[in-house]
Amino acid sequence: MRNLKITMAYDGSNFLGWQQQKIGRTVEGEILKALQFMHNQPLGLHAAGRTDTGVHASGQVINFVSNLDGIPLQRYARAFNSFLPLDIRAKYVEEKPESFHARYHARERSYKYYILSSELHQPHYRFYCHRVVHKPSLTALNRLARAFVGTHDFSTFSSPSEQNPNPERTVYNASFAIEGPFLVFHVVAQSFLWRMVRSMVGSLLTFEQESISIEELKAKINAKDRTQAGPTAPATGLYLHQVRYKDEHLVY
Amino acid sequence: MRNLKITMAYDGSNFLGWQQQKIGRTVEGEILKALQFMHNQPLGLHAAGRTDTGVHASGQVINFVSNLDGIPLQRYARAFNSFLPLDIRAKYVEEKPESFHARYHARERSYKYYILSSELHQPHYRFYCHRVVHKPSLTALNRLARAFVGTHDFSTFSSPSEQNPNPERTVYNASFAIEGPFLVFHVVAQSFLWRMVRSMVGSLLTFEQESISIEELKAKINAKDRTQAGPTAPATGLYLHQVRYKDEHLVY
């Protein structure tokens, strides 16, 4: 018996989000199906984060206890992938102590949000980024984004959720950079509220156009008032990028 | 009545290629349907190139005669797009002389082929590039690619086609470059034979691994023997990139 930590990537376009449900194709549902086929019995799993419909992952982390001790670790990903649909892939497999829990032990989660600033439609990218027609200033966006760093009540920039009664979160880093044709928002926190990243990005894009000052943005955060936020950016641009654990080196 | 030249982009993933056929979703078929809805009558069109199943376009060019003179040119793309499915988009619309023909007057066509060199699966890219697990040398690939430049009988590097009895083509440019995470093959010619680009790319990737010399590659070209080629690279990586006409400035 091994407690396996697996780093997963998936294309969220054709899933009704992460969480298994009775009806509809979900990432967790497909992974559980693959695990059951592979192990000849139903298995449970833990995941670092739940992603919404249309949200992607390049570094989701799951763990589960596998009794297939005959498969060498370096071949496990390939074996697992042979049971998974092509829009979900296992990237790395590691063995962890029995106590390891992908959700409870996650120390840092980071998301990336891909923005394409283009007047032209790019059909290849339509499920993989958020297209805006204006050209935002990278400097202005980065100046605004810094207001999110630190410990704040993020009620303004999240959707209310029964599962998360405490709206306080600590953001370690929030910044924009250029990656190929994309403007990319990268945000790191221990954990996030529901729709928090999409609300942050959508608001920043709007506030930059409206030339809102850092002081005004800070006032919006302090207002703890959902109506003070800008529009929530669409799911297509969002990727669960990386999850880090206690024993790992932290890099921003 | 205006003869309109429209530059189109499409995601080839969900099409059985360009050409309209009785059964199956094709790019031309969808465009003709949109034109018919928009103009209230069936229209004909010409296209610079025909793309195979799964092949994409970022700069396909079509032309047709439109009687919707009431739509200003700068609004035509938006109007046309409202009739098209989301995986086909009109990018630029220009009015051309009555004699303009998107296929016959094309002076140069260029294709790009996207290669992802990665041991890891990237589910988001699976329809948009060709993944290889080894790391080819950019220098070696570029050295080999130069052998294709010039006028040659490309029988070795194409599939036989009844429509193209003459296997001679002139390649103006063939080179590899890095674009973000991708290794990109860019090739320019007046026109191409069937599967010529995919055969060139697939062969170059194999020849680079086998350390085949330029002289050996030249001998393979001169052999005019299909069995001397390497494997044909998959459609997913291929994009019809640009088409240039007589009156346009040529840039490689």
Side-chain angles (χ1 to χ4, degrees):
Chain A
M1 303 286 265
R2 292 179 295 193
N3 186 5
L4 298 181
K5 172 193 169 197
I6 308 201
T7 306
M8 312 281 302
Y10 47 84
D11 175 343
S13 313
N14 296 311
F15 293 105
L16 290 172
W18 171 264
Q19 205 167 5
Q20 192 184 28
Q21 40 190 57
K22 274 182 196 147
I23 293 169
R25 188 170 182 261
T26 69
V27 184
E28 188 187 36
E30 293 298 312
I31 294 177
L32 287 171
K33 244 193 274 178
L35 286 176
Q36 176 160 3
F37 267 113
M38 187 176 174
H39 293 78
N40 253 316
Q41 58 178 309
L43 254 63
L45 66 81
H46 304 295
R50 286 180 205 155
T51 47
D52 279 342
T53 299
V55 176
H56 312 291
S58 45
Q60 167 76 291
V61 173
I62 64 171
N63 80 291
F64 55 86
V65 175
S66 170
N67 61 2
L68 297 176
D69 294 347
I71 305 178
L73 225 52
Q74 66 271 30
R75 292 211 207 117
Y76 202 96
R78 178 173 293 197
F80 190 21
N81 278 328
S82 72
F83 291 91
L84 285 166
L86 289 172
D87 45 359
I88 308 178
R89 296 285 96 181
K91 292 170 82 172
Y92 316 102
V93 178
E94 300 158 78
E95 186 175 353
K96 288 285 168 185
E98 207 182 319
S99 62
F100 175 81
H101 192 293
R103 183 164 162 217
Y104 295 144
H105 296 164
R107 190 150 129 171
E108 250 187 42
R109 290 160 175 90
S110 79
Y111 281 87
K112 282 191 173 187
Y113 193 96
Y114 283 74
I115 299 152
L116 184 68
S117 166
S118 166
E119 286 191 32
L120 298 175
H121 288 281
Q122 307 276 18
H124 316 92
Y125 297 146
R126 70 196 188 288
F127 298 128
Y128 305 104
C129 65
H130 170 41
R131 187 172 70 96
V132 297
V133 291
H134 69 289
K135 277 242 168 295
S137 148
L138 184 63
T139 317
L141 283 174
N142 269 321
R143 218 183 341 238
L144 285 173
R146 275 200 290 275
F148 287 129
V149 177
T151 303
H152 305 285
D153 180 318
F154 279 98
S155 297
T156 305
F157 298 100
S158 63
S159 295
S161 156
E162 282 174 22
Q163 284 165 8
N164 275 319
N166 173 14
E168 209 175 87
R169 288 294 180 275
T170 302
V171 171
Y172 302 125
N173 184 40
S175 58
F176 287 83
I178 302 295
E179 271 188 36
F182 301 105
L183 176 65
V184 181
F185 179 58
H186 186 207
V187 58
V188 186
Q190 199 213 329
S191 66
F192 292 88
L193 298 167
W194 192 34
R195 294 212 175 137
M196 181 169 151
V197 183
R198 290 166 56 190
S199 179
M200 288 164 93
V201 179
S203 298
L204 289 175
L205 286 171
T206 301
F207 297 167
E208 190 270 344
Q209 276 195 292
E210 294 171 347
S211 303
I212 279 181
S213 69
I214 304 187
E215 288 64 40
E216 288 171 291
L217 174 51
K218 286 183 176 164
K220 281 168 180 290
I221 297 173
N222 293 332
K224 303 167 198 168
D225 172 5
R226 189 81 184 102
T227 66
Q228 298 271 311
T232 300
T236 48
L238 188 60
Y239 294 71
L240 173 49
H241 175 62
Q242 211 164 38
V243 187
R244 293 201 174 270
Y245 293 86
K246 273 196 215 123
D247 51 345
E248 292 170 332
H249 183 62
L250 303 180
V251 182
Y252 298 123
Chain B
M1 303 284 264
R2 291 181 295 193
N3 185 5
L4 298 180
K5 172 193 170 197
I6 308 202
T7 306
M8 312 281 301
Y10 48 85
D11 175 344
S13 313
N14 295 312
F15 293 105
L16 290 171
W18 170 264
Q19 204 167 6
Q20 192 185 28
Q21 41 189 56
K22 275 184 196 143
I23 294 168
R25 188 170 183 262
T26 69
V27 185
E28 188 187 35
E30 293 299 312
I31 294 178
L32 287 171
K33 244 193 273 177
L35 287 176
Q36 175 161 3
F37 267 113
M38 188 174 172
H39 292 77
N40 253 316
Q41 58 178 311
L43 254 62
L45 66 81
H46 304 296
R50 287 180 204 153
T51 48
D52 280 343
T53 300
V55 175
H56 313 290
S58 45
Q60 167 76 290
V61 174
I62 63 171
N63 79 290
F64 56 86
V65 176
S66 169
N67 61 1
L68 297 176
D69 295 346
I71 305 178
L73 225 51
Q74 66 271 29
R75 288 211 210 117
Y76 203 95
R78 179 173 292 198
F80 190 22
N81 279 329
S82 72
F83 290 91
L84 285 166
L86 288 172
D87 44 0
I88 308 178
R89 295 285 97 181
K91 292 169 82 173
Y92 316 103
V93 179
E94 298 157 79
E95 186 174 353
K96 288 284 168 186
E98 209 183 316
S99 62
F100 175 82
H101 193 292
R103 185 166 161 215
Y104 296 144
H105 296 164
R107 190 150 129 169
E108 252 187 42
R109 290 161 175 90
S110 79
Y111 281 88
K112 283 192 172 185
Y113 193 97
Y114 283 76
I115 299 152
L116 184 69
S117 165
S118 166
E119 287 192 31
L120 298 175
H121 287 280
Q122 307 277 17
H124 315 93
Y125 297 146
R126 71 197 188 286
F127 297 128
Y128 305 105
C129 64
H130 170 42
R131 188 173 70 96
V132 298
V133 291
H134 69 290
K135 277 242 169 296
S137 149
L138 184 62
T139 316
L141 284 174
N142 269 320
R143 218 181 344 237
L144 286 173
R146 275 200 289 276
F148 287 129
V149 177
T151 304
H152 305 284
D153 180 318
F154 279 98
S155 297
T156 306
F157 298 100
S158 63
S159 295
S161 156
E162 282 174 23
Q163 284 165 7
N164 275 319
N166 173 15
E168 211 176 84
R169 289 292 182 275
T170 301
V171 170
Y172 301 125
N173 184 39
S175 59
F176 287 84
I178 302 294
E179 272 187 36
F182 301 105
L183 176 64
V184 181
F185 179 57
H186 185 208
V187 59
V188 186
Q190 199 214 330
S191 66
F192 292 87
L193 297 167
W194 192 34
R195 294 214 176 134
M196 182 167 150
V197 182
R198 288 166 56 190
S199 179
M200 288 164 95
V201 179
S203 298
L204 289 175
L205 287 171
T206 301
F207 297 167
E208 190 271 344
Q209 275 194 293
E210 293 171 348
S211 304
I212 279 181
S213 69
I214 303 187
E215 287 65 41
E216 289 171 291
L217 174 52
K218 285 183 177 164
K220 282 168 179 288
I221 297 173
N222 293 331
K224 301 167 200 168
D225 173 5
R226 188 82 185 100
T227 67
Q228 298 271 310
T232 300
T236 47
L238 188 58
Y239 294 71
L240 173 50
H241 176 61
Q242 211 163 40
V243 187
R244 293 200 176 270
Y245 293 85
K246 274 194 213 122
D247 51 345
E248 291 171 334
H249 183 62
L250 304 179
V251 180
Y252 297 123

